[in-house]
């Protein structure tokens, strides 16, 4: 008896559940005009060189233990330090130099491309351990904010402005030279007049 009653009730619940208002949409697009991968190709012409940054860390090693002494020339305090993560290739092993990377973004906060250029590890041997001084030079680039055509136009405008400035300076020099020549001629004329006057006075005295 219970089974006869339970079965219609379950069917009724199933009907009510399937009749609830709901909607979903499934969309697929297999067109070649909608690629799965988008690749941005850039060359060094698209970057602007900003400068070099030298980072440095000095530390002592005692067997398997180590103690950091300085980071970028400043005394290291393990309670207060600045850590910056910059993704390089797997071949670039930074080690403790990671603590010095913050200098790059402090000097060039708008950097877009950073290349490790050189690495040096200076080791001083001592009793029971060693002192390492590791340095690395990184080249910093930023994406050009202007196109090559705009850069060329700006360069031409700068060259034209310099030419105009040089022309104005040449005109000033010519004007000063003409004024100097006129002054020189006036002085020579005045000296000549003074000599003639002196000669006349001398003749009059002799008479």
């Amino acid at each position: 008896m219970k089974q006869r009653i339970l079965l219609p009730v379950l069917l009724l619940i199933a009907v009510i559940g399937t009749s609830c208002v709901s909607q979903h949409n499934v969309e697929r697009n297999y067109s070649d005009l909608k690629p799965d991968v988008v690749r941005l190709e850039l060359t060094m012409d698209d970057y602007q060189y900003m400068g070099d940054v030298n980072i440095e860390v000095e530390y002592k090693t005692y067997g398997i233990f180590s103690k950091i002494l300085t980071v970028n020339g400043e005394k290291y305090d393990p309670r207060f330090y600045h850590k910056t993560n910059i993704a390089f290739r797997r071949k670039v092993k930074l080690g403790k130099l990671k603590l010095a990377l913050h200098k790059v973004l402090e000097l060039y906060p708008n950097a877009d491309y950073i290349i490790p250029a050189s690495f040096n590890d200076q080791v001083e041997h001592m009793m029971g351990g060693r002192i390492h001084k590791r340095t690395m030079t990184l080249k910093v680039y930023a994406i050009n904010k202007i196109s090559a055509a705009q850069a060329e136009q700006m360069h031409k405008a700068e060259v034209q402005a310099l030419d105009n400035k040089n022309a104005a300076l040449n005109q000033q020099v010519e004007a000063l030279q003409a004024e100097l020549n006129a002054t020189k001629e006036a002085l020579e004329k005045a000296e000549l007049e003074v000599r003639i006057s002196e000669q006349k006075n001398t003749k009059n005295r002799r008479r």
Side-chain angles (χ1 to χ4, degrees):
M1 185 68 179
K2 291 182 179 181
Q3 293 180 351
R4 293 180 180 179
I5 298 174
L6 183 61
L7 183 61
V9 171
L10 293 175
L11 292 175
L12 180 62
I13 293 174
V15 171
I16 293 174
T18 56
S19 63
C20 293
V21 177
S22 64
Q23 181 179 358
H24 70 279
N25 187 20
V26 178
E27 181 180 358
R28 293 184 177 89
N29 190 309
Y30 301 101
S31 172
D32 292 336
L33 299 177
K34 201 172 184 180
D36 296 330
V37 178
V38 178
R39 182 173 64 185
L40 177 63
E41 294 185 358
L42 295 173
T43 65
M44 294 308 297
D45 293 334
D46 299 311
Y47 289 94
Q48 177 184 1
Y49 173 69
M50 302 179 71
D52 290 356
V53 179
N54 296 317
I55 60 175
E56 171 264 324
V57 62
E58 186 175 0
Y59 62 95
K60 288 183 179 180
T61 57
Y62 304 93
I64 61 174
F65 301 100
S66 64
K67 178 182 179 181
I68 300 175
L69 302 177
T70 63
V71 175
N72 292 327
E74 298 181 359
K75 187 177 179 181
Y76 175 73
D77 188 346
R79 298 173 301 171
F80 306 97
Y81 62 89
H82 193 164
K83 188 176 181 180
T84 300
N85 292 322
I86 299 177
F88 295 113
R89 294 179 300 173
R90 293 182 179 179
K91 294 182 179 180
V92 180
K93 304 297 182 181
L94 291 173
K96 291 180 172 55
L97 279 172
K98 288 182 178 180
L99 294 172
L101 282 177
H102 62 88
K103 182 179 178 180
V104 179
L105 298 184
E106 287 176 356
L107 294 176
Y108 302 103
N110 297 323
D112 296 309
Y113 187 36
I114 302 171
I115 304 176
S118 63
F119 169 82
N120 182 58
D121 186 9
Q122 182 179 346
V123 183
E124 179 183 348
H125 296 266
M126 61 181 185
M127 292 296 295
R130 301 176 180 178
I131 297 179
H132 291 258
K133 185 176 182 180
R134 293 191 173 185
T135 59
M136 179 178 284
T137 300
L138 302 107
K139 294 187 176 297
V140 183
Y141 297 84
I143 297 177
N144 284 326
K145 301 300 186 295
I146 59 175
S147 64
Q150 290 175 328
E152 185 178 358
Q153 290 179 356
M154 291 176 62
H155 178 68
K156 288 181 178 179
E158 291 176 355
V159 171
Q160 185 63 39
L162 289 175
D163 291 341
N164 295 337
K165 187 175 181 180
N166 289 334
L169 289 174
N170 289 333
Q171 290 179 357
Q172 292 180 2
V173 169
E174 291 176 356
L176 291 173
Q177 187 66 41
E179 184 178 353
L180 180 61
N181 292 335
T183 303
K184 185 177 180 181
E185 292 177 358
L187 288 173
E188 291 176 351
K189 184 178 180 180
E191 290 177 356
L192 180 60
E193 292 178 351
V194 169
R195 290 177 184 176
I196 294 174
S197 177
E198 289 178 351
Q199 290 177 359
K200 289 181 179 180
N201 293 333
T202 303
K203 291 180 179 179
N204 292 331
R205 290 175 183 176
R206 290 178 180 176
R207 293 178 181 178

